Amino acid sequence: MHRYKILIVDDDRLLQNSLLAILSEKYDPMIAGSGEEALRVLQKTAIDLILLDIRLPGIDGIETLHQIKKLGTESPIIMMTAYEDVKTVIHSMKEGASDYLVKPLEIEMFELVIEKALENLRLKKEVQELRRVYLKEFKLEHVVSESEGIRAVFEFADKVARSYDTTVLIEGGSGVGKEVVARMIHHRSSRYDKPFVGINCGAISKELLESELFGYEKGAFTGGLQEGKKGKIEMADSGTLLLDEVSELHPAAQVNLLRFLEEREFYPVGGTRKKKVDVRVIAATNKSLATQVQEGTFREDLYYRLNVARVYVPPLVERKADIVPLTELFMNRFNEKFMKNFRGISPEARKMLVQYPWRGNIRELKNAVERVVLMEDGEQIEAAHLAFLAFPYHGGQGGQPPKVPDLRLPPEGIQLDDVIKDLIVQALAMSGANKTQAAKLLGISRPTLIYRIEKHGIRV
């Protein structure tokens, strides 16, 4: 069983001996006769709780408290003082002390305050461990942040996470990691152990979107579940709701969402009784909502409700310092998945990775690394492994469609189906798995692309 270490900072020998006798039964107490000595102990030894007297020789208890806080310790500090110094102790609590005791000490009160402080410490460590487990589960414990642009985004996420319910707007292109930022805010907030529920507003028809958001009552419409259904908002109660691609909300849903954000109450479809929930709303979009407001496709009042705390996630091409670390991160993950043993990236491959435009952002990079680790063998990713990225004609010139590459049929022949499949995989990676954009890149219709995806068994 863990025995907590308690540091007694007091110059009264009689009190020192008394507290040692009382605390030694359950804890491991240590003595420091001055503030200076206490600071030396804390720099060398991990202490769980500090009992700090106000009146000390040398630097006093208040200054010692300030110096301890500068060390970055999270150990609770309990101030001890004579009755006439109580006002000073209350001031010290505002400076970071967790509690105080008045001399002469009453044993029962002394033990109660100690137990309360250590229980709070235990709960705090438990919360930190649970948060670490959550971060690991959602692969957020090793988020890459080498570039200044993404560091600013993560600093924003940390600050917003301290707020309980501030609404957040995350803007950025497809595949830049907007959901990762949303999850960071959730898992670093006090809501971390509550639901994180996402809904893609652009992937659901306007007829079904309201019932998906707000749920519906029994018999609300033909084809619904007989007992009704909870909506995403209710499912996220006490947690976080991510409205992905919020720019795609149709006008009627925008009105209802605005009403919900103002009142934090809503009517399920077909319902007559309001439901109240407690959620933080995070909206994400790959379009500029301000531009949509100007164009009249997005409500101005809803925009201001969502735009309480806004952050823009820059594209990967503006975060070149992140490209190689992200590649290494994905490489290690896919090593485990495919039981491979890639350990590094050759200098030529690194140069290619950094120079490539990555129009599909992190999603395209992840897909590319998955392909390499799955299809290739070796101890490092080589430039030849990245040939499928097609540098010579990626994107064309001056906004014009790219010219057809001068392909040569090798003497031994090729499998045409393999070439077609490879081009489809490239187009999907470049477009961030957007089938409409991928079809445009290939010069075919969307239905034809979907047919060929199914024909070749391509995972999207």
Side-chain angles (χ1 to χ4, degrees), residues 285-345:
T285 175
N286 60 10
K287 299 178 182 177
S288 167
L289 287 191
T291 300
Q292 288 198 290
V293 168
Q294 292 175 353
E295 294 172 352
T297 58
F298 201 85
R299 291 183 64 99
E300 186 174 14
D301 45 7
L302 176 56
Y303 169 66
Y304 289 126
R305 279 286 177 181
L306 295 174
N307 190 28
V308 178
R310 175 189 172 275
V311 66
Y312 172 73
V313 185
L316 192 56
V317 72
E318 296 178 13
R319 297 156 44 191
K320 292 186 180 293
D322 295 330
I323 292 174
V324 171
L326 279 168
T327 302
E328 292 171 337
L329 178 65
F330 294 140
M331 177 185 71
N332 292 331
R333 288 183 187 172
F334 291 123
N335 271 341
E336 293 181 14
K337 181 176 181 180
F338 302 128
M339 294 181 289
K340 294 295 185 74
N341 194 35
F342 283 94
R343 296 180 181 177
I345 307 168

